[in-house]
Amino acid sequence: MNDRSWLEINLDNYVHNLESIKKFVLPHQDIMQIVKADAYGHGAAKIAEIALKNGVTMLGVANAEEGALLRYLGKIPSYTYTKDNLTLDACPILVLSPSLPNEIDLIFENNLIPSITELDFCQNLDNEAKNRDVVYPVHIKIDTGMNRNGIRYDAFDNFLMAFSKCTNLKIEGVFSHFLESEEQSGVSETQIDRFREVLTKIKTVKYIHIANSAGILFQNFKEANIVRLGFLSYGVNINKRVEKTINLKPVMTFKSKISHISTAKKGETIGYNSTFIVNEDVRFAIIPVGYADGYDFLLSNQAKVLVNNELCPVLGRVSMDMICIDISKLQKVSLYDEVILLGEEHPEINAGNIAFLYKGSAYELLAQVGRRAKRYYKINNMIIDQEPIQKRSFIPSDFNSEKLSSIIKNAIAHRIQNNEMAKVIYDDILKYFFIDSDKDISYRSNFKHNIVFTEHKEYKDYYRVKTVLSFQKILHNDTFYVACAIDNESLKEFFKMKNCEYRWIIDVPENHLNRSNDKKNDLNDYFKISKALINDIEVDISIKNYPQIQGMQKGLLFTMNHKKLVDLCGKVVTFVIETETIYHKKAHQLSVYINEITKGAEVSFSFPSQINPVEITSIFAGRERFPLIQRRDNQIILKTRPDMWIFPNSGIVFSY
Ligand SMILES: *Cc1c(COP(=O)(O)O)cnc(C)c1O
């Protein structure tokens, strides 16, 4: 290892613990794995992944931000809550602590289930659920005697009455929490009685839970159908009673290495404030781990660490960044030898025993240790994954798009060592692709554009044009547009428009624009949509004039929608758009632009025989710049491989 200190997370031990605990879980009960505080310092994303593979069906976090991070880093698939039901295709995440009103958006955005402990929060949540037009699930926390958070068991009736006004919330769970489940004191029984009474007041509820780890072992409440498993799964024993009941293996090992070796003479002292006086000459080693790494200050002159299978006492005070250990007794020791500060290798260094030394809590120790340490995940004694420290705190919402943009820009500049070029690459290429919105980046595939010119009977100076465009793409919106521009300026406007799937530029008959605008849809005489389909759905088309400049029509905008499209949003659909229009004979060239990322294109142009020869020039941004061109009698077809990527700003010009 190249690290100053690191954590090894033994996932086999985690699975062993989980399997041992399952023997105490009743057959009708599910398991919620608690992964709060980054899974008690073990890495929430990885523990969640392994837990879900091993039969866990729900995850518990402390707050909404932890939940958001877990969804993001752990890629925990999300429920979708809708008006009338929720789709059970993923893993629910319960937020255990009370949430604050400002966390409500995060809760909705990440489909987290909040715990309700407070009516005011509940009403805020209900308002937002109404705004979003969903019925949102909540778990009601009942305080049955711990006096921490929750609706008091003896105030539940009042709460329920007030809750009935929160019509967009649904009680999906009711739970309580033991205050000393590891003890045989009768307190848990009282809590259970109170909880049971509350339950009689609720009709049906999907989840009932009360047991934490020790509760699973000692007070498993039969009416509950899910348990909340925390510290036991991480292999921590908190007392003799637990130790006698179940065999567990510590999951976390905290390691470092010797960074310095020296000696101190009899009568000298070691470390700050002379708390250790040297009785006989000692050889000591410095370990680069201190209380800032989570190695508690109270372990000063108390703890032992393991070096080459020998326990070595900590000498003097724990400093912020290092500790001193006695290596006098070691036969063999050298600089950079591995040091184990906490873990399974020796009972004296398991979390429970270390915490006992300073009357601390093993939970606290696990959650704080290794703050500066990278995590390595092991299966079968092999490292299968690692997690740098930065990753633990990365929340995408921390990065507003401005910040993200500047990071990307700087990264490019750093890479090519040229600020000016970086700006060009960023502004003119990347930003262009994302069209100032990095959300709905999508691409078209199987792009086919067929253009047919024939003689026009009415306007001799024009060709009659029929176009058929088809492609596949994710439907982002239940409405999309087709636009017809009359000049480059309006075309530019249409290019900027989101969900505009097709644009045409028309050169209208001379006197048209000079006419006053009394015939509203004049332009529509020259540009018509003959058909527009999404899959097999014929969409409804309405026309808007757009934009009007000094009373003159500068283009046409067609709005296309259909009520069935809502259900297709987010899915890949096939667009078909057919138009009829005109094209000026004197133009002598016809351009087809490809302005979205496109995978595979075929563009064909058919024309009356008298305009032969037609030349074709293609400008392709992308790896492959010379697609196949086929010529038939009165037709040119340009075809790329179906898997070829074409980037925006590509196009084809036919000249005649
Ligand atoms: C932390 C927590 C748990 C898990 O407790 P353990 O004792 O670690 O099993 C269960 N329920 C709630 C509400 C918690 O906050």
Side-chain angles (χ1 to χ4, degrees), residues 34 36 40 96 148 175 177 212-213 228-231 363:
I34 306 301
K36 63 192 181 195
Y40 299 45
L96 299 165
R148 194 172 62 174
F175 72 110
H177 194 42
N212 62 339
S213 288
R228 301 189 305 268
L229 174 62
F231 80 92
Y363 290 55

Side-chain angles (χ1 to χ4, degrees), residues 310-451:
E310 296 284 344
L311 288 170
C312 305
V314 170
L315 304 178
R317 281 200 168 164
V318 173
S319 303
M320 186 182 272
D321 310 307
M322 58 193 103
I323 54 172
C324 176
I325 59 166
D326 184 350
I327 52 168
S328 308
K329 307 245 155 53
L330 298 188
Q331 303 286 330
K332 239 186 78 198
V333 62
S334 36
L335 206 53
Y336 317 127
D337 276 359
E338 192 172 286
V339 178
I340 307 177
L341 297 116
L342 176 150
E344 61 177 324
E345 278 78 359
H346 196 287
E348 283 218 33
I349 54 165
N350 76 38
N353 288 338
I354 295 178
F356 181 75
L357 291 176
Y358 66 101
K359 299 197 183 68
S361 144
Y363 290 55
E364 182 200 19
L365 189 65
L366 290 177
Q368 71 179 14
V369 106
R371 281 207 200 106
R372 288 167 168 163
K374 192 164 164 178
R375 285 192 196 108
Y376 292 92
Y377 294 100
K378 285 165 86 172
I379 289 181
N380 268 334
N381 234 353
M382 296 208 331
I383 292 168
I384 54 121
D385 206 352
Q386 46 178 285
E387 197 173 70
I389 306 150
Q390 293 86 329
K391 218 176 150 183
R392 291 181 213 160
S393 56
F394 177 81
I395 289 207
S397 64
D398 276 5
F399 284 80
N400 53 37
S401 51
E402 234 168 81
K403 205 158 156 190
L404 203 54
S405 300
S406 88
I407 289 172
I408 296 171
K409 222 188 221 169
N410 288 336
I412 298 168
H414 183 78
R415 184 71 196 261
I416 62 173
Q417 299 283 316
N418 184 330
N419 285 337
E420 201 178 333
M421 275 297 291
K423 192 167 157 24
V424 172
I425 291 174
Y426 183 79
D427 290 343
D428 293 348
I429 303 178
L430 283 179
K431 226 164 139 202
Y432 183 84
F433 282 179
F434 292 98
I435 319 179
D436 289 326
S437 135
D438 42 15
K439 297 256 155 56
D440 294 347
I441 185 101
S442 66
Y443 67 90
R444 293 171 165 186
S445 59
N446 211 359
F447 177 94
K448 291 202 169 81
H449 197 184
N450 182 298
I451 302 162

Side-chain angles (χ1 to χ4, degrees), residues 513-539:
L513 279 178
N514 299 330
R515 282 197 305 198
S516 67
N517 192 33
D518 43 329
K519 262 174 83 197
K520 235 187 165 191
N521 293 327
D522 264 349
L523 256 186
N524 195 223
D525 296 344
Y526 310 108
F527 183 89
K528 290 192 179 77
I529 297 176
S530 33
K531 201 192 248 173
L533 298 176
I534 297 280
N535 293 348
D536 294 330
I537 303 166
E538 188 133 1
V539 300

